[in-house]
Amino acid sequence: MFKKFYPGEYLESAYGIDFEKLYHDGYRGIIFDIDNTLVPHGAPADDRAKALFAALKELGYRCCLLSNNKEPRVKMFNDEVQVDYIFKAGKPKVSGYERAMELMGTTRENTLFVGDQIFTDVYGANRAGIRTILTQPIHPKEEIQIVLKRYLEKIVLFFYKRSLRKKI
């Protein structure tokens, strides 16, 4: 029942992902959520985010920010990292993910999605056929509608973690 919400992987942080290994595995494009995935909600790109995108470009990745936020917020972050971006994406609609792949020149098979929310980020990427990496939120301060969704996410994560234990 919950499988359509399960991430491919669940990691502590986007900054702990072995992007070099994934590149060697054939991935060429990465779609990122911004808020609470890369920086706290509403924050500009910090030194860690700038260094991450510089390293990803050096490896040969194409990157795209995919956000449900309005353009001023997304542009503020992107001004520091200089990648493709889509604002007001309407996640979990598949069209935003498809547009991101189009901008990057990648396919479902060689694109990753990294985000912190199950019901928008992961669900949408799963529907688009993209490998997903769910990260823990960077900061506990969130908008009320997200706080409410986090309670439901705990249920999905409980069953996700249980399904992983059964595979062992």
Side-chain angles (χ1 to χ4, degrees), residues 77-164:
F77 183 91
N78 192 56
D79 283 346
E80 299 297 325
V81 299
Q82 295 295 304
V83 296
D84 292 313
Y85 70 91
I86 298 169
F87 61 95
K88 291 175 78 174
K91 293 182 289 183
K93 288 193 307 187
V94 172
S95 58
Y97 300 86
E98 290 173 337
R99 176 75 179 123
M101 288 185 284
E102 186 180 306
L103 288 171
M104 296 186 298
T106 60
T107 65
R108 288 170 168 75
E109 294 76 28
N110 67 3
T111 302
L112 301 164
F113 181 85
V114 180
D116 71 299
Q117 291 189 54
I118 288 174
F119 298 114
T120 52
D121 297 333
V122 170
Y123 179 53
N126 283 344
R127 290 176 59 221
I130 301 169
R131 179 176 174 178
T132 57
I133 300 175
L134 176 68
T135 63
Q136 294 177 11
I138 286 181
H139 195 274
K141 184 177 182 282
E142 297 182 295
E143 296 173 338
I144 187 64
Q145 71 272 16
I146 296 172
V147 171
L148 297 173
K149 283 194 272 184
R150 294 288 184 204
Y151 289 107
L152 298 173
E153 284 184 351
K154 286 179 183 178
I155 297 166
V156 174
L157 286 171
F158 169 82
F159 287 103
Y160 167 71
K161 290 174 184 175
R162 192 168 87 175
S163 74
L164 293 178

Side-chain angles (χ1 to χ4, degrees), residues 15 32-40 42-50 52-53 64-67 70-85 138:
Y15 298 100
F32 285 98
D33 175 54
I34 302 170
D35 288 324
N36 255 344
T37 299
L38 297 167
V39 293
D46 57 17
D47 289 341
R48 188 166 68 157
K50 293 175 200 175
L52 173 64
F53 282 96
C64 185
L65 306 172
L66 186 67
S67 177
K70 295 177 182 169
E71 187 173 22
R73 191 286 174 265
V74 181
K75 185 179 182 316
M76 173 188 60
F77 183 91
N78 192 56
D79 283 346
E80 299 297 325
V81 299
Q82 295 295 304
V83 296
D84 292 313
Y85 70 91
I138 286 181

